[in-house]
Every structure is written in structure tokens, then in C-alpha cells.
Amino acid sequence: MIRKFISQLNGGTTIDDIFLVQNKDLRTTKNGSLYIQAQLSDRTGTIDARMWDASTPFFESLGDDTFLRIKGRTEIYQNKIQLIIKQILKTSQEDIQLEDYLPSTEQDVNKMFSELKQIVSSIKQPHLKDLLALFFSDKDFCKRFCSAPAAVQYHHAFLGGLLEHTLSVAKLGDIIAPLYPGLNRDLLICGIILHDIGKISELCYERNFHYSDEGQLIGHLISGVLMVEERAKQIDGFPKTLLDLLRHLILSHHGEYEWGSPKLPMTLEALALHYLDNIDAKIHAFNKAILNDKDPNDNWTNYNRMLERKLFKKSHNYI
């Protein structure tokens, strides 16, 4: 059965789908009967829903489940679409496709991951090669790395965003490395691949994008360094200076103290990583702001607070 997304719903649509339950309450009508008020969502939007003739035992049986199968019918009430629920059923994790409920990359995840592994395999320095092998032979790490967003809001804030961002920056690194003989290509590429791995612990994305407790208390820079240190200990004779250089790449890649960087870039590889990371993030944020602008006929976006400027949308028309 083809899923009906919320943005596709009209009045009078029969519903039998799994939804992400953002919140649900048991309320009382004026005549004293109970009903469930809920807000349901998928990747395309949210919809208000009600289930009449509810009971306390039934409501409590739903527990804290965030994904539920909803059967019912939509109607228009006060010029707004709402869903009248006839039945609520529990569902299993196997039935849930997370990309149906949260923004997801438009790229092919398997293809991107294969491209990144090809870049990983090009590393020649033996200790860095072994380090990356420890990460990418870990199935749980790979699953989380391919699923995680790269941010909550700013750039690549969607499932698969971390992989998409890392691959883009790695490709940029491969392009510039031959142009500057002083750059250690293997160190730069390894640093690029590992610079944001802490985000798999910093960010949560089970029902929306938010920071984990670890993300709030520690942050992805420190989490990433700790992950690298843990694996480097498993490699006999991993040079301390090489580990220091790799830790510096992660700790300094934000580039400025005011951007949360505990260290300024102090090696060529760290400087390159910072600017390549910033290029990809900024271009993605520009494109997102232009794409989401509400007036397609205006040459300019509204003022963008994050980028602190208006953006000209039509430069591609002059090519």
C-alpha cells in the first residue's frame, strides 16, 4: 500500500498509516466523556488528530510509544484539515522507515558510502589506514555514521547529512591536495573523514533532531577526539605526534574561538580542513535558504539571520 503523506491529504481521505506522534493528551469534553488529542507528523508536516470515546486504560496502554498505526478519516474543521481517529494500534520497529518521518538526504546513501570507502582505501600511511579500518569495520559505527544528520538546523540537517557532508569535504580535499605540495594528503583526508564523527553521539534523531545529553555536556569535538583515542590505543606503535596532529585537526576545524573552536588551526592540514568544511557548510546553507524562500519571483531572499545578509537567487540565470 502506498503511503499517504500529510502534505497530500485532503478532507475525506481514509487513513491507515504509521505516524510519528509528537504529543498526545487525554482530555475531557463538556459532557464529561474522554477523548485523545494528538499531533501527528511525517517528513512533510503535522496534522491535529482526535479520537472520541476514549478511556483512561486505553490511553495508558499506549505508553510512551512515538510511532503508532492510525486508522481514521480526515475532515475539514474551521478551514483546517484534521484527522478523526477510529483505531490506534501498536507497531513494531521493523515496520518503521525513519526517512518517512524525518528529512532525509536526496542522495543514494549506499552509493555515497561506497565512494567514501574508496577514498578511505586510498590512504597509504599505515597507522592512519589501520585507524580508519577500525572505524569502518565497525557495523554499528557505519550504521550511525550513514544515518546521522550533520546538524540540527544549520547545514545538512537531515538523515544521511553527516555522510553527505563528509564525502563532499573529502572530495574537496582530494582536489586541493595536489595543488599544495606542503600538505600531507593522507593526514588531511583522514582528518576530514573523522572531523565530525562525534556527531553520531552529539545528535539524536529518533523522532526529531536535537542534542543528546553528551552533545550538550561535551560536544562533538571532544567526543570525536575520544573516539579516535580509543581506537588509536588498539594499534601497536601509533605515533604520539601523529595522534596529536589528528586530534588537532578535529579540535580546530571550527577555525575561530567565537565559533566554538578550542584551538585555532596551526598546521596546513588543519587550516585546509577548516576552510573546506566551511565552504561545504556555507554553500549548502546558501542553497537551502534560496530553495526555502517563499517568493519565487523575487530576485532576493529575505534577510537571513544565520548568514547575516540577503541572498541573490538568480546568478545561475546569467551563465
Side-chain angles (χ1 to χ4, degrees), residues 102-107 112 145-170 172 195-196 199 203-205 209 276-289 292 306:
L102 296 172
S104 303
T105 177
E106 296 179 0
Q107 307 298 318
M112 286 194 295
F145 183 83
C146 290
S147 300
V152 171
Q153 284 185 321
Y154 175 42
H155 71 92
H156 298 84
F158 46 75
L159 298 176
L162 177 59
L163 171 60
E164 185 176 318
H165 170 60
T166 303
L167 177 60
S168 294
V169 181
L172 290 171
H195 81 282
D196 269 346
K199 289 189 175 181
L203 303 177
C204 295
Y205 44 93
F209 297 150
L276 295 176
D277 177 54
N278 200 27
I279 284 171
D280 189 60
K282 285 290 197 302
I283 288 178
H284 187 277
F286 263 65
N287 283 333
K288 179 182 175 183
N292 293 340
M306 191 170 292

Coordinates of all heavy atoms in Angstrom, one line a residue, residues 102-107 112 145-170 172 195-196 199 203-205 209 276-289 292 306:
L102 N 11.4 11.9 9.0 CA 12.4 13.0 9.2 C 13.0 13.3 7.9 O 13.1 12.5 7.0 CB 13.5 12.6 10.2 CG 13.0 12.3 11.6 CD1 14.2 11.7 12.4 CD2 12.5 13.5 12.3
P103 N 13.4 14.6 7.7 CA 14.1 15.0 6.4 C 15.3 14.0 6.1 O 16.0 13.7 7.0 CB 14.5 16.4 6.7 CG 13.8 16.9 7.8 CD 13.4 15.7 8.6
S104 N 15.4 13.6 4.9 CA 16.5 12.7 4.5 C 17.3 13.2 3.3 O 16.8 14.0 2.5 CB 15.9 11.3 4.2 OG 15.2 10.8 5.2
T105 N 18.5 12.8 3.2 CA 19.3 13.1 2.0 C 18.6 12.7 0.7 O 17.9 11.6 0.7 CB 20.7 12.5 2.1 OG1 21.4 12.8 0.9 CG2 20.6 10.9 2.2
E106 N 18.8 13.4 -0.3 CA 18.2 13.1 -1.6 C 19.2 12.2 -2.4 O 18.9 11.7 -3.5 CB 17.9 14.3 -2.4 CG 16.8 15.2 -1.8 CD 16.5 16.4 -2.6 OE1 17.1 16.7 -3.6 OE2 15.6 17.2 -2.1
Q107 N 20.4 12.0 -1.8 CA 21.4 11.2 -2.5 C 21.2 9.7 -2.1 O 20.6 9.4 -1.1 CB 22.8 11.7 -2.1 CG 23.0 13.2 -2.3 CD 22.9 13.5 -3.8 OE1 23.4 12.8 -4.7 NE2 22.3 14.7 -4.0
M112 N 27.0 6.8 -1.8 CA 27.9 7.8 -1.1 C 28.8 7.0 -0.2 O 30.0 7.4 -0.2 CB 27.0 8.8 -0.3 CG 26.3 9.8 -1.1 SD 25.7 11.2 -0.1 CE 24.5 10.4 1.0
F145 N 26.9 6.4 11.4 CA 27.5 7.4 10.6 C 26.7 7.7 9.3 O 26.6 8.8 8.9 CB 28.9 6.9 10.2 CG 29.7 7.9 9.4 CD1 30.4 8.9 10.0 CD2 29.8 7.8 8.0 CE1 31.2 9.8 9.3 CE2 30.6 8.7 7.3 CZ 31.2 9.7 7.9
C146 N 26.1 6.7 8.7 CA 25.3 6.8 7.5 C 23.9 7.4 7.8 O 23.3 7.9 6.8 CB 25.2 5.5 6.8 SG 26.7 4.9 6.0
S147 N 23.5 7.3 9.0 CA 22.1 7.8 9.3 C 22.1 9.2 9.9 O 21.1 9.9 9.7 CB 21.5 6.8 10.3 OG 21.4 5.5 9.8
A148 N 23.1 9.6 10.6 CA 23.1 10.8 11.4 C 23.0 12.1 10.5 O 23.5 12.1 9.4 CB 24.3 10.9 12.3
P149 N 22.3 13.1 11.0 CA 22.4 14.4 10.4 C 23.7 15.0 10.7 O 24.4 14.6 11.6 CB 21.2 15.2 11.0 CG 21.1 14.5 12.4 CD 21.4 13.1 12.2
A150 N 24.1 16.1 10.0 CA 25.3 16.8 10.3 C 25.1 18.0 11.3 O 26.0 18.6 11.8 CB 26.0 17.3 9.0
A151 N 23.8 18.3 11.4 CA 23.5 19.5 12.3 C 22.0 19.4 12.7 O 21.2 18.6 12.0 CB 23.8 20.8 11.6
V152 N 21.6 20.2 13.6 CA 20.2 20.3 14.0 C 19.4 21.2 13.0 O 18.3 20.9 12.6 CB 20.0 20.7 15.4 CG1 18.6 21.0 15.8 CG2 20.5 19.7 16.4
Q153 N 20.1 22.3 12.6 CA 19.4 23.3 11.8 C 20.3 23.8 10.6 O 19.9 23.9 9.5 CB 19.0 24.5 12.6 CG 17.8 24.3 13.5 CD 17.4 25.6 14.2 OE1 18.2 26.4 14.6 NE2 16.1 25.8 14.2
Y154 N 21.5 24.1 10.9 CA 22.3 25.0 10.0 C 22.6 24.4 8.7 O 22.2 24.9 7.6 CB 23.6 25.3 10.7 CG 24.6 26.1 9.9 CD1 24.1 27.2 9.1 CD2 26.0 25.8 9.9 CE1 25.0 27.9 8.3 CE2 26.8 26.6 9.1 CZ 26.4 27.6 8.3 OH 27.2 28.3 7.6
H155 N 23.3 23.2 8.6 CA 23.6 22.7 7.3 C 23.5 21.2 7.3 O 23.8 20.5 8.4 CB 25.0 23.1 6.8 CG 26.1 22.4 7.5 ND1 26.7 21.2 7.2 CD2 26.7 22.8 8.7 CE1 27.6 20.9 8.0 NE2 27.7 21.8 9.0
H156 N 23.0 20.5 6.3 CA 22.9 19.1 6.2 C 22.1 18.5 7.4 O 22.5 17.5 8.0 CB 24.3 18.4 6.1 CG 25.1 18.8 4.9 ND1 25.8 19.9 4.9 CD2 25.2 18.2 3.7 CE1 26.4 20.0 3.7 NE2 26.1 19.0 2.9
A157 N 21.0 19.2 7.7 CA 20.2 18.8 8.9 C 19.1 17.8 8.4 O 17.9 18.1 8.4 CB 19.6 20.0 9.5
F158 N 19.6 16.6 8.0 CA 18.7 15.6 7.6 C 19.4 14.3 7.7 O 20.6 14.2 7.9 CB 18.3 15.8 6.1 CG 19.4 16.2 5.2 CD1 20.3 15.3 4.7 CD2 19.5 17.5 4.7 CE1 21.3 15.6 3.8 CE2 20.5 17.9 3.9 CZ 21.4 16.9 3.4
L159 N 18.6 13.2 7.7 CA 19.2 11.9 7.8 C 20.2 11.7 6.7 O 19.8 11.9 5.5 CB 18.1 10.8 7.8 CG 17.1 10.8 8.9 CD1 16.0 9.8 8.7 CD2 17.7 10.6 10.3
G160 N 21.3 11.1 7.0 CA 22.4 11.0 5.9 C 23.2 12.2 5.7 O 24.1 12.2 4.9
G161 N 22.9 13.3 6.4 CA 23.6 14.6 6.2 C 25.0 14.5 6.6 O 25.9 15.1 6.0
L162 N 25.4 13.7 7.7 CA 26.8 13.6 8.1 C 27.6 12.9 7.0 O 28.7 13.4 6.7 CB 26.9 12.8 9.4 CG 28.3 12.6 9.9 CD1 29.0 13.9 10.2 CD2 28.2 11.7 11.2
L163 N 27.1 11.9 6.4 CA 27.8 11.2 5.3 C 27.9 12.1 4.1 O 29.0 12.2 3.5 CB 27.0 9.9 5.0 CG 27.4 9.1 3.7 CD1 28.9 8.7 3.9 CD2 26.5 8.0 3.5
E164 N 26.8 12.7 3.7 CA 26.9 13.6 2.6 C 27.9 14.7 2.7 O 28.7 15.0 1.8 CB 25.5 14.2 2.3 CG 25.4 15.0 1.0 CD 23.9 15.5 0.7 OE1 23.0 14.7 0.9 OE2 23.8 16.6 0.3
H165 N 27.9 15.4 3.9 CA 28.8 16.5 4.2 C 30.3 15.9 4.2 O 31.1 16.6 3.6 CB 28.5 17.1 5.5 CG 29.5 18.1 6.0 ND1 29.8 19.2 5.4 CD2 30.2 18.0 7.2 CE1 30.7 19.9 6.1 NE2 31.0 19.2 7.2
T166 N 30.5 14.8 4.9 CA 31.9 14.3 5.0 C 32.4 13.9 3.6 O 33.6 14.2 3.2 CB 31.9 13.1 5.9 OG1 31.4 13.4 7.2 CG2 33.3 12.5 6.0
L167 N 31.6 13.3 2.8 CA 32.0 12.9 1.4 C 32.3 14.1 0.6 O 33.3 14.2 -0.1 CB 30.9 12.1 0.7 CG 31.2 11.6 -0.7 CD1 32.5 10.8 -0.8 CD2 30.0 10.9 -1.3
S168 N 31.5 15.2 0.7 CA 31.8 16.4 -0.1 C 33.1 17.0 0.3 O 33.9 17.4 -0.6 CB 30.6 17.4 0.1 OG 29.4 16.9 -0.5
V169 N 33.3 17.1 1.6 CA 34.6 17.7 2.1 C 35.8 16.9 1.7 O 36.8 17.4 1.3 CB 34.5 18.0 3.6 CG1 35.8 18.6 4.1 CG2 33.3 18.9 3.9
A170 N 35.6 15.5 1.7 CA 36.7 14.7 1.3 C 37.1 14.8 -0.2 O 38.2 14.8 -0.5 CB 36.3 13.2 1.6
L172 N 36.6 17.5 -1.9 CA 37.3 18.8 -2.0 C 38.8 18.7 -1.6 O 39.7 19.2 -2.2 CB 36.6 19.9 -1.1 CG 35.2 20.4 -1.6 CD1 34.6 21.2 -0.5 CD2 35.3 21.1 -2.9
H195 N 36.5 14.3 11.2 CA 36.4 15.6 11.9 C 35.0 15.7 12.6 O 34.9 16.4 13.6 CB 36.6 16.7 10.9 CG 35.5 17.1 10.0 ND1 35.1 16.4 8.9 CD2 34.6 18.2 10.1 CE1 34.1 17.0 8.3 NE2 33.8 18.0 9.0
D196 N 34.0 15.1 12.0 CA 32.6 15.2 12.6 C 32.1 13.9 13.2 O 30.9 13.9 13.5 CB 31.7 15.8 11.6 CG 31.6 17.3 11.5 OD1 32.1 17.9 12.5 OD2 31.1 17.8 10.6
K199 N 29.5 13.6 16.0 CA 28.1 14.0 15.9 C 27.2 12.8 16.0 O 26.0 12.9 16.3 CB 27.9 14.7 14.6 CG 28.5 16.1 14.6 CD 28.1 16.9 13.4 CE 28.6 18.4 13.6 NZ 28.3 19.2 12.4
L203 N 24.2 14.2 18.5 CA 22.9 14.4 18.0 C 22.0 13.2 18.1 O 22.4 12.1 18.0 CB 22.9 14.8 16.5 CG 23.8 16.0 16.1 CD1 23.8 16.3 14.6 CD2 23.3 17.3 16.9
C204 N 20.7 13.5 18.4 CA 19.6 12.5 18.4 C 18.7 12.7 17.3 O 18.4 13.9 16.9 CB 18.9 12.5 19.7 SG 19.8 12.1 21.2
Y205 N 18.2 11.6 16.7 CA 17.3 11.8 15.5 C 16.3 10.7 15.5 O 15.9 10.3 14.4 CB 18.2 11.8 14.2 CG 19.3 10.8 14.2 CD1 19.0 9.6 13.6 CD2 20.5 11.0 14.7 CE1 20.0 8.6 13.5 CE2 21.5 10.1 14.7 CZ 21.3 8.9 14.1 OH 22.3 7.9 14.1
F209 N 15.3 16.2 15.5 CA 16.7 16.5 15.6 C 16.9 17.3 16.9 O 16.4 18.4 17.0 CB 17.3 17.2 14.4 CG 17.1 16.4 13.1 CD1 17.0 17.0 11.9 CD2 17.2 15.0 13.1 CE1 16.9 16.2 10.7 CE2 17.1 14.2 12.0 CZ 16.9 14.9 10.8
L276 N 37.7 24.1 4.0 CA 36.9 23.1 3.2 C 35.6 22.8 3.8 O 34.5 22.8 3.2 CB 37.7 21.9 2.9 CG 39.0 22.0 2.1 CD1 39.7 20.7 1.9 CD2 38.7 22.6 0.7
D277 N 35.7 22.6 5.1 CA 34.5 22.3 5.9 C 33.5 23.5 5.9 O 32.3 23.3 5.7 CB 34.9 22.0 7.4 CG 33.7 21.8 8.3 OD1 32.8 20.9 8.0 OD2 33.6 22.5 9.3
N278 N 34.1 24.7 6.0 CA 33.3 25.9 6.0 C 32.6 26.2 4.6 O 31.5 26.6 4.5 CB 34.1 27.1 6.4 CG 33.3 28.3 6.8 OD1 32.2 28.1 7.3 ND2 33.8 29.5 6.7
I279 N 33.4 25.9 3.5 CA 32.9 26.0 2.2 C 31.6 25.2 2.0 O 30.6 25.6 1.5 CB 33.9 25.7 1.1 CG1 35.0 26.8 1.0 CG2 33.3 25.4 -0.3 CD1 36.2 26.4 0.1
D280 N 31.8 23.9 2.3 CA 30.6 23.0 2.1 C 29.4 23.4 2.9 O 28.3 23.3 2.4 CB 31.1 21.5 2.4 CG 30.0 20.5 2.0 OD1 29.7 20.5 0.8 OD2 29.5 19.8 2.9
A281 N 29.7 23.7 4.2 CA 28.6 24.1 5.1 C 27.9 25.4 4.6 O 26.6 25.5 4.5 CB 29.1 24.3 6.5
K282 N 28.7 26.4 4.2 CA 28.1 27.7 3.7 C 27.3 27.5 2.4 O 26.3 28.1 2.3 CB 29.2 28.7 3.6 CG 29.8 29.2 4.9 CD 28.8 30.2 5.6 CE 29.5 31.0 6.6 NZ 30.2 30.3 7.7
I283 N 27.9 26.8 1.5 CA 27.2 26.6 0.2 C 25.9 25.9 0.4 O 24.9 26.2 -0.2 CB 28.1 25.9 -0.8 CG1 29.2 26.9 -1.3 CG2 27.3 25.5 -2.0 CD1 30.2 26.3 -2.3
H284 N 25.9 24.9 1.2 CA 24.7 24.1 1.5 C 23.7 25.0 2.2 O 22.5 25.0 1.8 CB 25.0 22.9 2.4 CG 23.8 22.0 2.5 ND1 22.8 22.3 3.5 CD2 23.4 20.9 1.8 CE1 21.9 21.3 3.4 NE2 22.2 20.5 2.4
A285 N 24.1 25.9 3.1 CA 23.2 26.8 3.8 C 22.6 27.8 2.8 O 21.5 28.2 2.9 CB 23.9 27.5 5.0
F286 N 23.5 28.3 1.9 CA 23.0 29.3 0.9 C 21.9 28.6 0.1 O 20.8 29.2 -0.2 CB 24.2 29.7 0.0 CG 24.8 31.0 0.4 CD1 25.5 31.2 1.6 CD2 24.7 32.1 -0.5 CE1 26.1 32.4 1.9 CE2 25.3 33.3 -0.2 CZ 26.0 33.4 1.0
N287 N 22.2 27.5 -0.5 CA 21.3 26.8 -1.3 C 19.9 26.5 -0.6 O 18.9 26.6 -1.2 CB 21.9 25.5 -1.9 CG 22.9 25.7 -3.0 OD1 22.8 26.7 -3.7 ND2 23.8 24.8 -3.1
K288 N 20.0 26.1 0.7 CA 18.8 25.8 1.4 C 18.0 27.1 1.6 O 16.8 27.0 1.5 CB 19.3 25.2 2.8 CG 18.1 24.9 3.7 CD 18.6 24.4 5.1 CE 17.4 24.2 6.1 NZ 17.9 23.8 7.4
A289 N 18.7 28.2 1.9 CA 17.9 29.5 2.1 C 17.2 29.9 0.8 O 16.1 30.4 0.9 CB 18.9 30.5 2.6
N292 N 14.2 27.5 0.1 CA 13.1 27.6 1.0 C 12.5 29.0 1.0 O 11.5 29.3 1.7 CB 13.5 27.3 2.4 CG 13.9 25.8 2.6 OD1 13.5 25.0 1.8 ND2 14.7 25.5 3.6
M306 N 21.0 33.8 10.0 CA 22.2 32.9 10.2 C 23.4 33.4 9.4 O 24.5 33.4 9.8 CB 21.8 31.5 9.9 CG 22.9 30.5 10.3 SD 22.2 28.8 10.2 CE 21.0 28.7 11.5

